[in-house]
Amino acid sequence: MHTHTPPQPWWKSAIAYQVYPRSFQDSNGDGVGDIPGLISRLDYLHTLGIDLLWITPVYTSPQVDNGYDISDYQSIDPTFGTLADVDELIAQCHRRGIRLIMDLVINHCSDQHPWFKAARSSRDNPYRDWFIWRDPVDGREPNNWASHFAPSAWTLDEATGQYYLHTFAAQQPDLNWQHPPVREALHAMIDWWLARGIDGFRLDAISYIDKAPGLPSHEVDMPYHFDQAPMMHGPQYHAHLHELHQKLFRHHDIVTVGECAGMTVQSTIDISAPERQELNMAFLFEPVSDVYAHGMQPGRLKEILTRWQTGLHGKGWVGMGFNNHDQPRVVSIFGDDGPEHRVASAKCLGTLLLTLEGTPFIYQGEELGMTNVAFPRIEDYQDLSTHHRYRQNLAQGWTPERALTHEHTYSRDNARTPMPWDASAQAGFSTGTPWLALGPTFDHINVAASLADDGSVFHHYRRMIALRKQWPALVHGSFERLDADDGPVFAYVRELDGVRLAVVMNLSSASASFSGLPAGAERLQGNLPAGQGGASAALRPWEAVVYRLA
Ligand code: TEU
């Protein structure tokens, strides 16, 4: 049928799903999700229709940052299981036609990793240069860089009298990528994982592996200033990525996805264009960052998505998603999570995700329309970045109430509450006490109820996934806007080889009208029962419809 399309790599048409293993399914009653639990739920993911699974870190770790502080890259934390469990997970995924990618956290490791323990043991230890050390300047930090999770990006090692650099928590020292033995050790580790049969990696915080030469202070005269610019995209950045590609990635049929900060269309092309031989794609974060900063404004979202869709087409590729384990729930910040519009807005946002160019990444529970939680006490939150930000906000004079309310909206734990499987005690997640409390909505927002209800968010995601698999135009087609203003209606056409699909949606909780749909459009899928449709349609709140154009 679509004979003009050149062969395309499988990962462009894949539908990805992210699992946060700690919160997905516990199998042994310790309150923490694990790999056997995940394996027991693969049929559910298969029913949804996904074919690429990304799991966040399950390696041995003190769990200061829930596994993003790794103390042994080549073993599995007992909380999650064993290497044999991972082998079983790979096999069970592959049996279902699901590829598995793992998190690659190589900007930093744990301060409990043997490399760092050796490095800090003395200034002349052979591992010293595996990390980034500087002498104090005027009795304090070598520069004014702030960490994501601590006031300063530097911590003094009292015993040896020098500071080490950590872009994230003090327990996550940055590896020194300028030191060749570091790269060699990481390459050997990556090779070992690829030989186990995994299908690729999500590269954590990868933009930070090369810093500005000389580690210059920010010009702002503050003791700790948060500005990522000099902390990333150093002169060797692309060379390091290219080296990974040359030595490792290109020898396997895998996919590589970068978690890159501060990306533009051009810098995404520079990483993901095939001829660059670096990564296959980088995540698109600008929509989420913008809604964070400005609240949901349809006009802004439409401008951002249009710029990326048209700018990358034929040149680069993104991982598309509005949710992950670091972000509040998409229905709560982009949509309307009140009782009246939660289901429609979650389905509308799912329609958006699954009709844009870029490999869609669904985050666990998004397909249920899971919402943010509002825990009553700051102690109820587990995430270290939530506590860091709370302390910072108190220090600048906020009341505890205001600082807590802020976390109700922004805490990473919004995304990390356990997956609600049914309405039973602990939602079928665990027979023990969950490590993080369930959201209060699990009595009605859960998997069992969603599977049983043909009108659920789940079934809409399932149908939209099937539609994307059926129509390559939704994956590879060009993008052209049909609406021309900054109002709530977002309408666009995806076209490939003469097949034209139109997507029309109302990104608001009020009715809207749209008159730009060409006559004779055939409705393929909608998120509400079919209405009048036609050339001059009234769109109900959060209505989203996919049409085939004549
Ligand atoms: O996040 C990298 C990152 O830049 C984060 O600061 C992110 O912007 C922030 O969490 C939003 O609140 C990655 C992981 O996704 C995150 O979970 C880890 O904590 C972090 O790296 C350190 O490994």
Side-chain angles (χ1 to χ4, degrees), residues 355-369:
T355 55
L356 293 170
E357 183 169 295
T359 304
F361 278 76
I362 300 163
Y363 177 70
Q364 67 180 48
E366 176 184 337
E367 79 283 11
L368 307 176

Side-chain angles (χ1 to χ4, degrees), residues 507-543:
L507 295 167
S508 81
S509 297
S511 299
S513 65
F514 178 66
S515 55
L517 186 67
E522 175 202 353
R523 179 188 159 107
L524 297 179
Q525 191 61 249
N527 68 340
L528 299 174
Q532 268 77 22
S536 177
L539 290 165
R540 290 163 280 182
W542 298 103
E543 182 159 14

Side-chain angles (χ1 to χ4, degrees), residues 18 20 54 56-57 65-69 103 105 107-108 148-149 167-169 172 202-208 226 228 259-261 285 292 324-328 383-386 389 410-412 416:
Q18 180 193 350
Y20 197 66
W54 155 33
T56 53
D65 187 19
N66 289 357
Y68 282 97
D69 48 319
D103 229 298
V105 190
N107 173 69
H108 47 270
H148 279 79
F149 300 153
T167 301
F168 297 92
Q172 294 167 298
R202 174 263 191 188
L203 290 88
D204 182 67
I206 196 69
S207 338
Y208 299 98
F226 190 78
Q228 304 186 94
E259 191 217 16
C260 307
F285 285 128
Y292 241 72
N324 63 31
H325 64 293
D326 294 332
Q327 312 293 348
D383 167 37
L384 85 170
S385 83
T386 301
R389 192 170 44 218
Y410 293 106
S411 173
R412 302 197 298 184
R416 299 177 179 186

Side-chain angles (χ1 to χ4, degrees), residues 131-136 142 154 156 161-165 178 214-215:
F131 297 87
I132 300 167
W133 298 92
R134 290 291 183 277
D135 288 327
W154 297 94
L156 180 66
Q162 284 189 310
Y163 285 89
Y164 65 89
L165 181 65
Q178 295 188 341
L215 312 182

Side-chain angles (χ1 to χ4, degrees), residues 45-249:
L45 300 182
H46 186 59
T47 302
L48 181 59
I50 64 109
D51 46 20
L52 180 62
L53 175 62
W54 155 33
I55 56 169
T56 53
V58 290
Y59 317 97
T60 301
S61 159
Q63 305 290 330
V64 170
D65 187 19
N66 289 357
Y68 282 97
D69 48 319
I70 296 169
S71 54
D72 180 359
Y73 287 96
Q74 290 173 218
S75 68
I76 301 301
D77 198 277
T79 324
F80 296 120
T82 63
L83 274 173
D85 292 330
V86 171
D87 290 341
E88 179 68 7
L89 176 64
I90 296 169
Q92 292 288 346
C93 283
H94 289 175
R95 269 183 51 185
R96 291 167 176 83
I98 296 172
R99 288 178 164 100
L100 178 73
I101 65 176
M102 293 181 71
D103 229 298
L104 191 57
V105 190
I106 47 180
N107 173 69
H108 47 270
C109 61
S110 165
D111 66 344
Q112 299 306 306
H113 194 292
W115 298 337
F116 190 72
K117 286 184 171 176
R120 82 186 314 173
S121 68
S122 76
R123 286 198 188 203
D124 52 16
N125 185 279
Y127 282 92
R128 188 71 170 181
D129 288 340
W130 284 47
F131 297 87
I132 300 167
W133 298 92
R134 290 291 183 277
D135 288 327
V137 174
D138 300 331
R140 48 178 314 161
E141 293 87 357
N143 71 25
N144 66 357
W145 293 2
S147 147
H148 279 79
F149 300 153
S152 173
W154 297 94
T155 289
L156 180 66
D157 179 58
E158 304 270 352
T160 58
Q162 284 189 310
Y163 285 89
Y164 65 89
L165 181 65
H166 51 89
T167 301
F168 297 92
Q171 298 90 341
Q172 294 167 298
D174 282 37
L175 287 156
N176 179 10
W177 275 67
Q178 295 188 341
H179 189 52
V182 169
R183 301 205 302 277
E184 283 159 24
L186 293 174
H187 292 168
M189 176 273 288
I190 293 167
D191 198 35
W192 184 88
W193 273 108
L194 289 172
R196 267 198 126 78
I198 63 167
D199 303 295
F201 294 106
R202 174 263 191 188
L203 290 88
D204 182 67
I206 196 69
S207 338
Y208 299 98
I209 59 175
D210 197 43
K211 283 91 178 157
L215 312 182
S217 260
H218 304 296
E219 284 170 18
V220 182
D221 186 21
M222 283 170 71
Y224 313 119
H225 178 63
F226 190 78
D227 169 4
Q228 304 186 94
M231 304 174 76
M232 60 187 195
H233 298 158
Q236 296 305 310
Y237 177 50
H238 289 286
H240 291 330
L241 294 180
H242 182 64
E243 186 180 44
L244 287 169
H245 175 90
Q246 285 300 105
K247 291 197 169 157
L248 297 150
F249 301 156

Side-chain angles (χ1 to χ4, degrees), residues 9-11 99 198-200 249-255:
W10 59 265
W11 42 260
R99 288 178 164 100
I198 63 167
D199 303 295
F249 301 156
R250 75 186 173 102
H251 304 296
H252 301 266
D253 181 23
I254 59 168
V255 63

